[in-house]
Amino acid sequence: EWLLSVPSLAYVPLDLTSAASVGTLFQRLPHGAGTLVIGARLPLLGSGAHTTLLPQLGALVAAAAVAGVRRVLHVSSVAAADHLRAQRGVDEEAQLPPLSEYAGEYDVFKRCSE
C-alpha cells in the first residue's frame, strides 16, 4: 500500500496470462516509465501456471526495454530458493539448488522468473 501512495507512480493492472494485456501495458500508462516493478503471484498449487506466465514475463521485460524502461524491480520471495527445503540465511548470493530438485511448482516459477 505504501507504494501506491507515491504520487509519481502509476499502478496499472496486468494479466500475465494474456499476451494482449502484456502487449498494451506501456500504451495504457499515463506517462513514460523509467522503472518497472513486478510482483507476480500465482497459486501455490496449480496445473502448469508457471509455463503460461514465464513467456509473458519475458515478453513484458522485452516490451519494457523497447518502451525505454531502464530499471526492473522484481519482487520475489524465498520460494526462488526452494522454500520446501530446510534453509537458513539464504540471500541473493546463496548458491541455489539444481532446478530439477525443486519440489513445488510455485518455487519453480519464482526461480525461473528471476
Side-chain angles (χ1 to χ4, degrees):
E1 292 182 17
W2 64 269
L3 195 57
L4 297 177
S5 67
V6 177
S8 61
L9 295 181
Y11 171 78
V12 180
L14 177 69
D15 179 359
L16 277 176
T17 65
S18 165
S21 180
V22 170
T24 62
L25 174 66
F26 294 98
Q27 289 92 22
R28 294 184 283 127
L29 291 176
H31 51 72
T35 302
L36 175 64
V37 179
I38 303 170
R41 183 178 175 271
L42 72 157
L44 292 177
L45 301 172
S47 58
H50 70 282
T51 59
T52 300
L53 298 178
L54 283 173
Q56 296 302 338
L57 190 58
L60 173 62
V61 172
V66 170
V69 172
R70 299 184 58 162
R71 292 171 301 278
V72 174
L73 171 61
H74 181 195
V75 180
S76 193
S77 70
V78 71
D82 191 6
H83 82 284
L84 298 177
R85 80 174 50 224
Q87 48 187 289
R88 182 180 166 104
V90 174
D91 63 16
E92 284 79 10
E93 302 300 319
Q95 184 172 2
L96 299 174
L99 193 55
S100 61
E101 294 179 10
Y102 278 56
E105 183 177 343
Y106 178 75
D107 298 55
V108 170
F109 168 77
K110 295 306 270 186
R111 165 84 181 269
C112 291
S113 65
E114 285 192 6

XYZ file of all heavy atoms in Angstrom:
838
model
N 0.811 -1.204 0.000
C 0.000 0.000 0.000
C 0.848 1.259 0.000
O 0.461 2.253 -0.605
C -0.937 -0.012 1.194
C -2.001 -1.090 1.085
C -2.958 -1.067 2.267
O -3.006 -0.068 2.990
O -3.646 -2.072 2.450
N 2.001 1.235 0.673
C 2.845 2.424 0.705
C 3.296 2.810 -0.696
O 3.418 3.983 -1.012
C 4.049 2.230 1.624
C 4.988 1.158 1.141
C 4.948 -0.156 1.458
C 6.077 1.315 0.235
N 5.943 -0.839 0.804
C 6.658 0.033 0.049
C 6.630 2.392 -0.440
C 7.755 -0.177 -0.780
C 7.728 2.172 -1.271
C 8.283 0.908 -1.423
N 3.532 1.827 -1.537
C 3.986 2.102 -2.892
C 2.906 2.813 -3.702
O 3.187 3.712 -4.488
C 4.379 0.791 -3.566
C 5.191 0.869 -4.842
C 6.482 1.632 -4.637
C 5.485 -0.517 -5.364
N 1.655 2.423 -3.488
C 0.547 3.027 -4.231
C 0.302 4.477 -3.830
O -0.347 5.216 -4.560
C -0.723 2.204 -4.036
C -0.663 0.770 -4.565
C -1.955 0.036 -4.250
C -0.393 0.751 -6.058
N 0.814 4.885 -2.670
C 0.588 6.256 -2.204
C 1.594 7.256 -2.781
O 1.463 8.450 -2.548
C 0.628 6.299 -0.678
O 1.945 6.007 -0.220
N 2.574 6.783 -3.540
C 3.564 7.685 -4.133
C 2.938 8.347 -5.359
O 2.548 7.668 -6.312
C 4.845 6.912 -4.527
C 5.840 7.836 -5.208
C 5.465 6.244 -3.301
N 2.802 9.699 -5.362
C 2.083 10.398 -6.442
C 2.659 10.166 -7.842
O 1.920 10.152 -8.818
C 2.188 11.875 -6.055
C 2.558 11.896 -4.626
C 3.280 10.616 -4.339
N 3.967 9.998 -7.963
C 4.564 9.869 -9.288
C 4.493 8.446 -9.848
O 4.931 8.208 -10.971
C 6.028 10.315 -9.249
O 6.761 9.491 -8.357
N 3.932 7.521 -9.086
C 3.821 6.132 -9.547
C 2.437 5.864 -10.113
O 1.440 6.373 -9.626
C 4.095 5.156 -8.406
C 5.501 5.171 -7.831
C 5.617 4.139 -6.719
C 6.536 4.905 -8.896
N 2.414 5.043 -11.150
C 1.137 4.625 -11.738
C 0.977 3.133 -11.530
O 1.880 2.358 -11.847
C 1.115 4.937 -13.230
N -0.139 2.737 -10.970
C -0.456 1.318 -10.834
C -1.375 0.943 -11.983
O -2.453 1.503 -12.146
C -1.145 1.030 -9.498
C -1.668 -0.383 -9.418
C -0.806 -1.440 -9.163
C -3.012 -0.659 -9.636
C -1.275 -2.733 -9.116
C -3.491 -1.958 -9.588
C -2.616 -2.984 -9.331
O -3.064 -4.274 -9.287
N -0.917 0.030 -12.805
C -1.707 -0.418 -13.944
C -1.811 -1.934 -13.841
O -0.798 -2.632 -13.870
C -1.059 -0.012 -15.283
C -1.890 -0.495 -16.460
C -0.865 1.495 -15.346
N -3.032 -2.471 -13.713
C -3.177 -3.929 -13.614
C -2.673 -4.616 -14.879
O -2.766 -4.072 -15.981
C -4.674 -4.141 -13.445
C -5.277 -2.814 -13.222
C -4.295 -1.776 -13.655
N -2.153 -5.809 -14.680
C -1.597 -6.572 -15.789
C -1.967 -8.033 -15.615
O -1.841 -8.578 -14.520
C -0.076 -6.424 -15.795
C 0.689 -7.210 -16.838
C 0.397 -6.647 -18.229
C 2.173 -7.157 -16.553
N -2.427 -8.652 -16.673
C -2.760 -10.075 -16.662
C -1.651 -10.818 -17.385
O -1.552 -10.768 -18.608
C -4.107 -10.289 -17.355
C -4.510 -11.749 -17.411
O -3.749 -12.623 -16.927
O -5.597 -12.029 -17.945
N -0.781 -11.490 -16.625
C 0.344 -12.204 -17.222
C -0.077 -13.468 -17.970
O 0.763 -14.130 -18.559
C 1.381 -12.564 -16.164
C 2.369 -11.472 -15.797
C 3.274 -11.925 -14.660
C 3.190 -11.021 -16.978
N -1.347 -13.790 -17.980
C -1.809 -14.909 -18.799
C -2.286 -14.427 -20.161
O -2.667 -15.222 -21.003
C -2.958 -15.686 -18.111
O -4.099 -14.837 -17.997
C -2.543 -16.185 -16.737
N -2.261 -13.113 -20.378
C -2.798 -12.522 -21.603
C -1.720 -11.773 -22.382
O -1.186 -10.763 -21.913
C -3.931 -11.549 -21.245
O -4.241 -10.718 -22.335
N -1.437 -12.243 -23.585
C -0.472 -11.551 -24.442
C -0.966 -10.145 -24.777
O -0.171 -9.210 -24.878
C -0.228 -12.357 -25.717
N -2.264 -9.971 -24.923
C -2.823 -8.650 -25.228
C -2.594 -7.683 -24.067
O -2.241 -6.513 -24.280
C -4.311 -8.759 -25.541
N -2.789 -8.142 -22.853
C -2.579 -7.292 -21.683
C -1.112 -6.884 -21.579
O -0.793 -5.716 -21.351
C -3.033 -8.029 -20.416
O -2.847 -7.226 -19.273
N -0.220 -7.842 -21.769
C 1.218 -7.554 -21.713
C 1.611 -6.615 -22.846
O 2.332 -5.637 -22.651
C 2.035 -8.865 -21.771
C 3.518 -8.574 -21.954
C 1.807 -9.692 -20.512
N 1.113 -6.884 -24.050
C 1.484 -6.104 -25.227
C 1.019 -4.664 -25.220
O 1.590 -3.821 -25.907
N -0.012 -4.361 -24.434
C -0.541 -2.990 -24.411
C -0.214 -2.238 -23.122
O -0.651 -1.100 -22.958
C -2.077 -3.002 -24.583
O -2.671 -3.716 -23.479
C -2.481 -3.639 -25.906
N 0.525 -2.839 -22.249
C 0.787 -2.210 -20.952
C 1.339 -0.794 -21.094
O 0.833 0.140 -20.478
C 1.757 -3.048 -20.115
C 2.193 -2.379 -18.804
C 1.015 -2.238 -17.851
C 3.335 -3.130 -18.164
N 2.351 -0.621 -21.906
C 3.007 0.681 -21.958
C 2.177 1.738 -22.676
O 2.369 2.930 -22.457
C 4.424 0.536 -22.518
C 5.284 -0.267 -21.577
C 5.500 -1.618 -21.792
C 5.808 0.317 -20.439
C 6.239 -2.371 -20.893
C 6.555 -0.423 -19.534
C 6.769 -1.774 -19.762
N 1.215 1.321 -23.497
C 0.273 2.286 -24.077
C -0.772 2.712 -23.046
O -1.370 3.776 -23.161
C -0.461 1.693 -25.294
C 0.416 1.524 -26.515
C 1.046 0.137 -26.568
O 0.555 -0.802 -25.966
N 2.141 0.008 -27.302
N -1.008 1.881 -22.035
C -2.021 2.184 -21.019
C -1.487 3.039 -19.878
O -2.245 3.504 -19.037
C -2.613 0.886 -20.459
C -3.410 0.105 -21.491
C -4.087 -1.126 -20.917
N -3.130 -2.209 -20.725
C -2.942 -2.873 -19.582
N -3.636 -2.561 -18.509
N -2.060 -3.862 -19.501
N -0.191 3.253 -19.838
C 0.379 4.078 -18.766
C 0.058 5.552 -18.995
O 0.056 6.018 -20.133
C 1.894 3.902 -18.712
C 2.416 2.560 -18.238
C 3.940 2.530 -18.333
C 1.969 2.264 -16.818
N -0.175 6.312 -17.918
C -0.466 7.742 -18.075
C 0.770 8.560 -18.435
O 0.651 9.708 -18.844
C -1.007 8.142 -16.700
C -0.447 7.138 -15.757
C -0.299 5.864 -16.539
N 1.958 7.987 -18.285
C 3.214 8.661 -18.614
C 4.278 7.597 -18.856
O 4.068 6.423 -18.600
C 3.640 9.619 -17.492
C 3.652 8.976 -16.139
N 4.588 8.045 -15.736
C 2.816 9.125 -15.082
C 4.332 7.657 -14.501
N 3.249 8.302 -14.087
N 5.428 8.013 -19.360
C 6.521 7.074 -19.583
C 6.992 6.464 -18.267
O 6.717 6.989 -17.189
N 7.688 5.368 -18.361
C 8.153 4.681 -17.154
C 9.658 4.482 -17.224
O 10.175 3.998 -18.222
C 7.459 3.333 -17.013
N 10.353 4.861 -16.162
C 11.785 4.618 -16.068
C 12.075 3.344 -15.305
O 13.110 2.721 -15.467
N 11.113 2.952 -14.442
C 11.264 1.758 -13.613
C 9.992 0.938 -13.684
O 8.892 1.485 -13.639
C 11.535 2.139 -12.140
O 12.708 2.957 -12.076
C 11.736 0.915 -11.278
N 10.160 -0.362 -13.791
C 9.034 -1.299 -13.787
C 9.155 -2.156 -12.539
O 10.196 -2.770 -12.299
C 9.075 -2.180 -15.037
C 8.040 -3.296 -15.140
C 6.619 -2.734 -15.219
C 8.334 -4.162 -16.357
N 8.111 -2.170 -11.714
C 8.082 -3.005 -10.515
C 7.141 -4.166 -10.801
O 5.968 -3.954 -11.116
C 7.597 -2.217 -9.272
C 7.563 -3.117 -8.050
C 8.487 -1.005 -9.033
N 7.667 -5.391 -10.697
C 6.878 -6.596 -10.974
C 6.736 -7.393 -9.686
O 7.724 -7.686 -9.018
C 7.570 -7.485 -12.029
C 7.820 -6.714 -13.312
C 6.742 -8.738 -12.296
C 8.713 -7.446 -14.290
N 5.523 -7.745 -9.366
C 5.252 -8.618 -8.230
C 4.231 -9.651 -8.660
O 3.042 -9.462 -8.450
N 4.670 -10.713 -9.309
C 3.753 -11.733 -9.815
C 3.456 -12.750 -8.730
O 4.346 -13.206 -8.034
C 4.364 -12.438 -11.028
N 2.208 -13.079 -8.586
C 1.785 -14.077 -7.597
C 0.870 -15.063 -8.291
O -0.018 -14.700 -9.021
C 1.039 -13.394 -6.461
C 0.633 -14.347 -5.380
C -0.070 -13.585 -4.250
N -0.562 -14.498 -3.269
C -1.762 -15.073 -3.303
N -2.589 -14.802 -4.295
N -2.142 -15.900 -2.369
N 1.127 -16.327 -8.076
C 0.251 -17.346 -8.603
C -0.077 -18.317 -7.489
O 0.570 -18.320 -6.451
C 0.891 -18.065 -9.799
C 2.046 -19.022 -9.534
C 2.119 -20.006 -10.693
C 3.349 -18.284 -9.436
N -1.091 -19.131 -7.682
C -1.436 -20.095 -6.633
C -0.250 -20.984 -6.305
O 0.535 -21.336 -7.188
C -2.572 -20.913 -7.256
C -3.098 -20.075 -8.370
C -1.949 -19.233 -8.848
N -0.127 -21.335 -5.037
C 0.964 -22.218 -4.642
C 0.831 -23.593 -5.298
O 1.809 -24.263 -5.549
C 1.007 -22.369 -3.120
C 1.408 -21.104 -2.367
C 1.345 -21.348 -0.867
C 2.800 -20.646 -2.764
N -0.372 -23.999 -5.538
C -0.621 -25.269 -6.213
C -1.393 -24.981 -7.473
O -2.319 -24.196 -7.482
C -1.428 -26.212 -5.313
C -0.786 -26.548 -3.967
C -1.763 -27.315 -3.091
C 0.485 -27.347 -4.165
N -1.030 -25.607 -8.543
C -1.741 -25.340 -9.781
C -1.370 -26.340 -10.848
O -0.630 -27.279 -10.610
N -1.892 -26.118 -12.007
C -1.633 -27.046 -13.100
C -0.860 -26.334 -14.201
O -1.421 -25.889 -15.187
C -2.952 -27.588 -13.633
O -3.779 -26.521 -14.054
N 0.422 -26.173 -13.989
C 1.270 -25.604 -15.017
C 1.188 -24.105 -15.186
O 1.522 -23.595 -16.247
N 0.757 -23.377 -14.161
C 0.622 -21.925 -14.287
C 1.942 -21.278 -14.673
O 1.971 -20.343 -15.460
C 0.093 -21.328 -12.992
N 3.044 -21.802 -14.142
C 4.329 -21.167 -14.440
C 4.698 -21.283 -15.914
O 5.366 -20.413 -16.455
C 5.443 -21.731 -13.555
C 5.833 -23.140 -13.856
N 5.093 -24.211 -13.451
C 6.883 -23.634 -14.544
C 5.675 -25.318 -13.864
N 6.761 -25.001 -14.531
N 4.257 -22.309 -16.592
C 4.585 -22.444 -18.012
C 3.828 -21.421 -18.857
O 4.274 -21.066 -19.936
C 4.298 -23.864 -18.524
O 2.919 -24.164 -18.336
C 5.144 -24.891 -17.803
N 2.709 -20.938 -18.364
C 1.956 -19.879 -19.048
C 2.551 -18.512 -18.729
O 2.690 -17.661 -19.609
C 0.473 -19.894 -18.606
O -0.084 -21.158 -18.927
C -0.325 -18.791 -19.278
N 2.899 -18.293 -17.471
C 3.337 -16.979 -17.029
C 4.763 -16.624 -17.445
O 5.049 -15.466 -17.736
C 3.205 -16.865 -15.512
C 1.787 -16.988 -14.962
C 1.800 -16.903 -13.454
C 0.875 -15.931 -15.538
N 5.663 -17.596 -17.474
C 7.057 -17.275 -17.773
C 7.255 -16.635 -19.146
O 7.967 -15.636 -19.256
C 7.940 -18.516 -17.618
C 8.268 -18.881 -16.174
C 9.000 -20.212 -16.116
C 9.082 -17.796 -15.508
N 6.653 -17.164 -20.221
C 6.836 -16.494 -21.517
C 6.277 -15.065 -21.527
O 6.870 -14.165 -22.135
C 6.070 -17.383 -22.502
C 5.975 -18.703 -21.838
C 5.919 -18.410 -20.365
N 5.166 -14.847 -20.847
C 4.586 -13.494 -20.794
C 5.470 -12.557 -19.969
O 5.585 -11.376 -20.278
C 3.167 -13.532 -20.229
C 2.185 -14.288 -21.084
C 2.081 -13.738 -22.497
O 2.412 -12.594 -22.787
N 1.630 -14.569 -23.407
N 6.082 -13.093 -18.931
C 7.002 -12.285 -18.132
C 8.193 -11.862 -18.994
O 8.631 -10.712 -18.949
C 7.455 -13.071 -16.906
C 8.231 -12.321 -15.840
C 7.433 -11.150 -15.299
C 8.612 -13.260 -14.710
N 8.696 -12.778 -19.820
C 9.777 -12.437 -20.750
C 9.340 -11.387 -21.751
O 10.092 -10.450 -22.060
N 8.120 -11.523 -22.266
C 7.585 -10.541 -23.210
C 7.429 -9.174 -22.535
O 7.675 -8.131 -23.158
C 6.239 -11.013 -23.765
N 7.052 -9.168 -21.277
C 6.904 -7.914 -20.527
C 8.245 -7.206 -20.393
O 8.348 -6.005 -20.624
C 6.306 -8.200 -19.151
C 6.232 -7.025 -18.186
C 5.338 -5.926 -18.746
C 5.729 -7.492 -16.833
N 9.270 -7.939 -20.040
C 10.593 -7.330 -19.888
C 11.100 -6.816 -21.245
O 11.681 -5.728 -21.330
C 11.575 -8.320 -19.233
C 12.991 -7.786 -19.239
C 11.139 -8.630 -17.803
N 10.857 -7.568 -22.316
C 11.260 -7.118 -23.653
C 10.506 -5.846 -24.048
O 11.104 -4.902 -24.587
C 11.013 -8.231 -24.674
N 9.214 -5.796 -23.775
C 8.416 -4.603 -24.087
C 8.882 -3.410 -23.251
O 8.889 -2.273 -23.729
C 6.928 -4.872 -23.846
N 9.277 -3.671 -22.017
C 9.783 -2.602 -21.152
C 11.046 -1.989 -21.755
O 11.208 -0.768 -21.762
C 10.055 -3.139 -19.750
N 11.924 -2.823 -22.270
C 13.159 -2.321 -22.882
C 12.842 -1.446 -24.096
O 13.419 -0.370 -24.261
C 14.059 -3.490 -23.275
N 11.902 -1.888 -24.917
C 11.502 -1.114 -26.100
C 10.894 0.222 -25.678
O 11.107 1.249 -26.327
C 10.513 -1.925 -26.973
C 9.893 -1.062 -28.055
C 11.214 -3.129 -27.575
N 10.156 0.215 -24.567
C 9.495 1.433 -24.079
C 10.450 2.369 -23.342
O 10.044 3.436 -22.892
C 8.324 1.059 -23.169
N 11.708 1.977 -23.205
C 12.692 2.844 -22.561
C 12.834 2.668 -21.063
O 13.472 3.489 -20.404
N 12.258 1.607 -20.522
C 12.408 1.341 -19.090
C 13.872 1.003 -18.825
O 14.462 0.179 -19.519
C 11.480 0.181 -18.645
C 11.770 -0.237 -17.220
C 10.026 0.598 -18.806
N 14.443 1.645 -17.820
C 15.866 1.445 -17.524
C 16.108 0.545 -16.328
O 17.216 0.037 -16.155
C 16.517 2.790 -17.294
C 16.413 3.663 -18.556
C 17.125 4.924 -18.386
N 18.522 4.601 -18.084
C 19.507 5.451 -18.201
N 19.276 6.657 -18.614
N 20.739 5.117 -17.907
N 15.098 0.362 -15.482
C 15.260 -0.460 -14.282
C 14.042 -1.355 -14.104
O 12.911 -0.919 -14.312
C 15.412 0.427 -13.041
C 16.691 1.218 -13.004
C 16.684 2.234 -11.869
N 15.586 3.195 -11.945
C 15.590 4.300 -12.702
N 16.617 4.583 -13.448
N 14.568 5.115 -12.696
N 14.293 -2.588 -13.687
C 13.209 -3.518 -13.367
C 13.451 -4.007 -11.950
O 14.539 -4.489 -11.623
C 13.171 -4.719 -14.341
C 12.126 -5.737 -13.903
C 12.898 -4.248 -15.765
N 12.448 -3.856 -11.109
C 12.493 -4.384 -9.752
C 11.524 -5.545 -9.709
O 10.315 -5.360 -9.882
C 12.090 -3.312 -8.725
C 11.899 -3.797 -7.289
C 13.195 -4.377 -6.737
C 11.392 -2.669 -6.425
N 12.042 -6.740 -9.544
C 11.204 -7.931 -9.482
C 11.093 -8.355 -8.025
O 12.060 -8.823 -7.440
C 11.811 -9.057 -10.321
C 10.999 -10.298 -10.317
N 11.484 -11.501 -10.742
C 9.722 -10.540 -9.940
C 10.553 -12.421 -10.629
N 9.486 -11.857 -10.134
N 9.934 -8.160 -7.449
C 9.686 -8.531 -6.061
C 9.434 -10.032 -6.040
O 8.541 -10.530 -6.713
C 8.472 -7.770 -5.482
C 8.232 -8.176 -4.049
C 8.685 -6.272 -5.615
N 10.241 -10.738 -5.302
C 10.128 -12.192 -5.281
C 9.948 -12.678 -3.849
O 9.490 -11.929 -2.993
C 11.362 -12.827 -5.941
O 11.147 -14.195 -6.194
N 10.323 -13.899 -3.610
C 10.173 -14.479 -2.272
C 11.220 -15.555 -2.075
O 11.961 -15.912 -2.993
C 8.769 -15.078 -2.113
O 8.652 -16.234 -2.921
N 11.255 -16.087 -0.878
C 12.185 -17.167 -0.564
C 11.914 -18.408 -1.416
O 12.766 -19.267 -1.554
C 12.151 -17.492 0.946
C 10.839 -18.172 1.318
C 13.329 -18.347 1.344
N 10.755 -18.463 -2.049
C 10.428 -19.615 -2.891
C 11.433 -19.782 -4.021
O 11.656 -20.895 -4.500
C 9.016 -19.475 -3.462
N 12.075 -18.698 -4.455
C 13.078 -18.806 -5.521
C 14.236 -19.702 -5.104
O 14.934 -20.251 -5.940
C 13.587 -17.430 -5.898
N 14.428 -19.856 -3.792
C 15.489 -20.721 -3.277
C 14.939 -22.076 -2.822
O 15.623 -22.821 -2.131
C 16.212 -20.038 -2.123
N 13.711 -22.399 -3.209
C 13.028 -23.653 -2.863
C 12.626 -23.666 -1.393
O 13.300 -24.240 -0.548
C 13.884 -24.873 -3.198
C 13.099 -26.186 -3.102
O 11.878 -26.150 -2.885
O 13.705 -27.256 -3.254
N 11.503 -23.018 -1.104
C 11.083 -22.869 0.291
C 10.642 -24.178 0.938
O 10.422 -24.220 2.138
C 9.999 -21.792 0.426
C 8.607 -22.230 0.106
N 8.157 -22.410 -1.180
C 7.577 -22.517 0.928
C 6.895 -22.792 -1.131
N 6.523 -22.857 0.111
N 10.559 -25.249 0.172
C 10.154 -26.535 0.744
C 11.339 -27.317 1.318
O 11.151 -28.378 1.892
C 9.417 -27.376 -0.306
C 8.114 -26.748 -0.817
C 7.491 -27.614 -1.905
C 7.130 -26.527 0.317
N 12.539 -26.796 1.174
C 13.703 -27.451 1.787
C 14.169 -26.618 2.969
O 13.975 -25.408 2.990
C 14.812 -27.683 0.763
C 15.659 -26.498 0.446
C 16.855 -26.743 -0.470
N 16.528 -27.467 -1.668
C 17.266 -28.465 -2.155
N 18.387 -28.809 -1.582
N 16.907 -29.089 -3.251
N 14.789 -27.288 3.928
C 15.297 -26.579 5.102
C 16.403 -25.626 4.666
O 17.290 -26.000 3.894
C 15.832 -27.581 6.116
N 16.336 -24.398 5.142
C 17.350 -23.410 4.787
C 17.452 -22.371 5.882
O 16.530 -22.175 6.664
C 17.039 -22.756 3.447
C 15.613 -22.286 3.292
C 15.350 -21.805 1.886
O 15.847 -20.764 1.528
N 14.594 -22.543 1.123
N 18.593 -21.710 5.905
C 18.832 -20.672 6.903
C 19.783 -19.644 6.309
O 20.783 -19.993 5.694
C 19.443 -21.308 8.155
C 19.687 -20.346 9.270
C 20.282 -21.102 10.450
N 20.831 -20.183 11.397
C 20.264 -19.869 12.538
N 19.125 -20.443 12.871
N 20.820 -19.029 13.356
N 19.442 -18.388 6.455
C 20.313 -17.324 5.996
C 20.480 -17.247 4.484
O 21.535 -16.872 4.001
N 19.437 -17.588 3.745
C 19.524 -17.538 2.292
C 19.390 -16.093 1.831
O 18.521 -15.356 2.286
C 18.414 -18.403 1.648
C 18.403 -18.244 0.140
C 18.591 -19.856 2.023
N 20.288 -15.676 0.938
C 20.197 -14.349 0.346
C 20.499 -14.450 -1.146
O 20.633 -15.557 -1.681
C 21.126 -13.357 1.053
C 22.596 -13.728 0.909
O 22.952 -14.556 0.038
O 23.411 -13.178 1.672
N 20.612 -13.310 -1.807
C 20.810 -13.301 -3.254
C 22.122 -13.938 -3.678
O 22.296 -14.331 -4.822
C 20.729 -11.868 -3.807
C 19.319 -11.333 -3.895
C 18.787 -10.848 -2.555
O 19.564 -10.754 -1.573
O 17.590 -10.582 -2.464
N 23.076 -14.038 -2.769
C 24.388 -14.602 -3.096
C 24.461 -16.110 -2.852
O 25.423 -16.753 -3.253
C 25.474 -13.906 -2.261
C 25.521 -12.396 -2.459
C 25.804 -12.001 -3.896
O 26.653 -12.642 -4.545
O 25.166 -11.035 -4.381
N 23.455 -16.675 -2.213
C 23.472 -18.110 -1.892
C 23.388 -18.960 -3.160
O 22.689 -18.604 -4.103
C 22.312 -18.452 -0.960
N 24.116 -20.065 -3.155
C 24.029 -20.985 -4.287
C 22.680 -21.702 -4.219
O 22.301 -22.240 -3.182
C 25.161 -22.001 -4.239
C 25.167 -22.900 -5.448
C 26.402 -23.782 -5.506
O 27.238 -23.755 -4.623
N 26.503 -24.555 -6.559
N 21.958 -21.689 -5.323
C 20.633 -22.290 -5.361
C 20.732 -23.764 -5.726
O 21.641 -24.176 -6.449
C 19.752 -21.558 -6.372
C 19.524 -20.078 -6.080
C 18.756 -19.426 -7.217
C 18.802 -19.895 -4.763
N 19.787 -24.570 -5.232
C 19.803 -25.978 -5.610
C 19.499 -26.143 -7.096
O 18.905 -25.250 -7.712
C 18.692 -26.592 -4.749
C 17.854 -25.462 -4.296
C 18.690 -24.226 -4.338
N 19.890 -27.265 -7.686
C 19.543 -27.502 -9.092
C 18.027 -27.444 -9.285
O 17.265 -27.943 -8.447
C 20.068 -28.909 -9.368
C 21.088 -29.162 -8.308
C 20.642 -28.370 -7.108
N 17.604 -26.839 -10.368
C 16.178 -26.674 -10.641
C 15.445 -28.014 -10.640
O 14.298 -28.102 -10.213
C 15.980 -25.951 -11.973
C 14.597 -25.420 -12.283
C 14.095 -24.496 -11.183
C 14.597 -24.692 -13.611
N 16.106 -29.051 -11.076
C 15.480 -30.382 -11.128
C 15.138 -30.928 -9.739
O 14.335 -31.846 -9.618
C 16.398 -31.371 -11.845
O 17.633 -31.494 -11.146
N 15.702 -30.343 -8.695
C 15.433 -30.803 -7.328
C 14.318 -30.030 -6.636
O 13.947 -30.350 -5.515
C 16.709 -30.708 -6.489
C 17.799 -31.649 -6.946
C 19.062 -31.529 -6.109
O 19.029 -30.841 -5.055
O 20.081 -32.118 -6.515
N 13.781 -29.008 -7.270
C 12.712 -28.233 -6.656
C 11.449 -29.082 -6.546
O 11.088 -29.791 -7.486
C 12.416 -26.972 -7.475
C 13.363 -25.832 -7.198
C 14.733 -25.982 -7.340
C 12.886 -24.601 -6.790
C 15.593 -24.935 -7.087
C 13.740 -23.549 -6.539
C 15.104 -23.730 -6.689
O 15.956 -22.689 -6.437
N 10.781 -28.975 -5.409
C 9.612 -29.819 -5.154
C 8.291 -29.138 -5.517
O 7.315 -29.819 -5.781
C 9.583 -30.242 -3.683
N 8.253 -27.831 -5.534
C 6.984 -27.143 -5.742
C 6.931 -26.350 -7.035
O 7.906 -25.708 -7.433
N 5.785 -26.364 -7.691
C 5.586 -25.630 -8.940
C 5.753 -24.131 -8.733
O 6.329 -23.439 -9.570
C 4.196 -25.942 -9.486
C 3.914 -25.296 -10.815
C 2.555 -25.672 -11.361
O 1.948 -26.651 -10.918
O 2.095 -24.941 -12.246
N 5.261 -23.628 -7.628
C 5.401 -22.205 -7.318
C 6.880 -21.830 -7.229
O 7.314 -20.810 -7.765
C 4.686 -21.897 -6.007
C 4.804 -20.464 -5.555
C 4.064 -19.468 -6.171
C 5.643 -20.113 -4.512
C 4.162 -18.147 -5.759
C 5.748 -18.795 -4.093
C 5.000 -17.826 -4.715
O 5.104 -16.517 -4.303
N 7.659 -22.666 -6.579
C 9.078 -22.414 -6.422
C 9.789 -22.423 -7.774
O 10.679 -21.606 -8.017
C 9.703 -23.460 -5.495
C 9.113 -23.416 -4.100
O 7.873 -23.523 -3.990
O 9.866 -23.281 -3.138
N 9.409 -23.339 -8.655
C 9.989 -23.391 -9.997
C 9.705 -22.086 -10.733
O 10.581 -21.502 -11.360
C 9.447 -24.605 -10.788
C 9.849 -24.533 -12.259
C 9.932 -25.902 -10.160
N 8.461 -21.613 -10.648
C 8.114 -20.336 -11.288
C 8.957 -19.199 -10.744
O 9.506 -18.394 -11.498
C 6.621 -20.019 -11.109
C 6.289 -18.608 -11.500
C 6.192 -18.254 -12.838
C 6.107 -17.632 -10.540
C 5.913 -16.939 -13.198
C 5.824 -16.318 -10.900
C 5.721 -15.983 -12.244
N 9.050 -19.088 -9.444
C 9.796 -17.980 -8.839
C 11.252 -18.031 -9.252
O 11.848 -17.017 -9.585
C 9.664 -17.998 -7.317
C 8.253 -17.748 -6.809
C 7.658 -16.474 -7.361
C 7.935 -15.286 -6.515
N 7.254 -14.061 -6.937
N 11.838 -19.201 -9.258
C 13.242 -19.333 -9.647
C 13.428 -18.960 -11.123
O 14.318 -18.207 -11.475
C 13.710 -20.757 -9.382
C 15.013 -21.158 -10.038
C 16.237 -20.744 -9.230
N 17.454 -21.136 -9.906
C 18.088 -22.287 -9.735
N 17.611 -23.187 -8.903
N 19.202 -22.531 -10.371
N 12.596 -19.498 -11.992
C 12.743 -19.235 -13.412
C 12.438 -17.773 -13.759
O 13.059 -17.210 -14.657
C 11.831 -20.151 -14.226
S 12.335 -21.878 -14.187
N 11.518 -17.162 -13.046
C 11.184 -15.774 -13.339
C 12.293 -14.830 -12.917
O 12.446 -13.750 -13.471
C 9.858 -15.370 -12.707
O 9.930 -15.386 -11.306
N 13.074 -15.241 -11.940
C 14.219 -14.410 -11.543
C 15.315 -14.532 -12.561
O 16.068 -13.655 -12.832
C 14.728 -14.796 -10.168
C 13.808 -14.295 -9.082
C 14.410 -14.404 -7.700
O 15.586 -14.771 -7.563
O 13.705 -14.113 -6.745
